[in-house]
Amino acid sequence: MTTRRKLVVGNWKMHGSRVANAELLAGVLAARPFACDVAVCTPFVYLADAAATLAASDVRWGAQDVSAHAQGAYTGEVSAAMLQELGCRYTLVGHSERRAYHAESDALVAAKAQAALGRGVTPIVCVGETLAEREAGQTAEVVKRQLSVVIHQLAHCAAEMVVAYEPVWAIGTGRTATPAQAQEVHALLRAQLQAATGRGDAMRILYGGSVKPDNAAELFAQADIDGGLIGGASLKAADFIAIVRAAG
Ligand code: 13P
């Protein structure tokens, strides 16, 4: 079995200010060294600051979204080439908030993942079911469908992505999936990745949804959970650091 290095990613969502971010990142940097990979996904406008602050460290930075288009008349969009220029290691794609509030389809999410990979930016592809879908017994079907469109689009490069399982009902609600519930979905996503790429054992699948310092260790101890995508708790240095320590 392959050993996968754990990865903990902070998703700041639409939070922060230059002053608050500087304080947060100074706190994170002061806590190094870390035994796992660590990254923060900031709003676009803060990426240059993050690059300047983090460049000399092993903490990486990334975006929360990317355009599917290479360039052109797409007002308000940010291209993968621009993220590459800012040194982004990662970008989220298909976060449930973008799927829900910006009507992003599986096909658009896949095109965004491909645009990112084309510029050497690793897409963190988010999948997850709503509460209604879980209660209707459709969890497996939904997450497999979401992932399969991306796998198909990326073809021979599919093993380059990171996957994040974020049950929509667990995001920002304080209601975390139990470690067993999360593990069950991670295992089926890994089987799907393995069948499609032959490299599923080496790919990282993160869990996201109300991960906190007091539940992180139990989640990260599951066989197929390779770290976390952290929302609210990534905005406080002490909480984020505690979660990073739980991963390593
Ligand atoms: P919370 O950790 O705030 O529940 O957010 C999870 C999330 O959406 C990370 O992308």
Side-chain angles (χ1 to χ4, degrees), residues 86-204:
L86 273 279
C88 291
R89 169 69 60 87
Y90 301 102
T91 183
L92 306 181
V93 296
H95 191 280
S96 64
E97 288 150 17
R98 296 215 54 92
R99 291 180 190 260
Y101 308 145
H102 300 271
E104 292 197 5
S105 65
D106 294 336
L108 179 61
V109 171
K112 289 181 170 195
Q114 187 175 36
L117 263 189
R119 288 289 177 168
V121 177
T122 299
I124 301 177
V125 177
C126 306
V127 300
E129 81 288 2
T130 63
L131 185 59
E133 288 163 342
R134 174 161 283 264
E135 287 176 344
Q138 296 167 343
T139 298
E141 183 191 324
V142 168
V143 298
K144 282 172 146 177
R145 185 203 74 225
Q146 291 172 334
L147 189 57
S148 75
V149 180
V150 181
I151 289 172
H152 186 255
Q153 176 100 23
L154 299 185
H156 65 279
C157 295
E160 305 301 320
M161 72 176 143
V162 171
V163 175
Y165 169 55
E166 298 205 312
V168 177
W169 48 272
I171 294 176
T173 58
R175 188 176 163 190
T176 322
T178 64
Q181 279 175 324
Q183 166 57 26
E184 187 183 359
V185 176
H186 280 236
L188 66 88
L189 292 173
R190 190 172 312 285
Q192 184 180 3
L193 292 169
Q194 180 63 23
T197 70
R199 289 169 56 196
D201 280 349
M203 293 177 67
R204 294 193 284 199

Side-chain angles (χ1 to χ4, degrees), residues 39-78:
V40 290
C41 288
T42 80
F44 290 129
V45 292
Y46 298 135
L47 285 170
D49 283 352
T53 306
L54 300 174
S57 80
D58 55 0
V59 176
R60 314 320 300 170
W61 58 95
Q64 299 171 12
D65 186 29
V66 64
S67 177
H69 303 288
Q71 62 172 22
Y74 300 103
T75 302
E77 295 239 67
V78 174

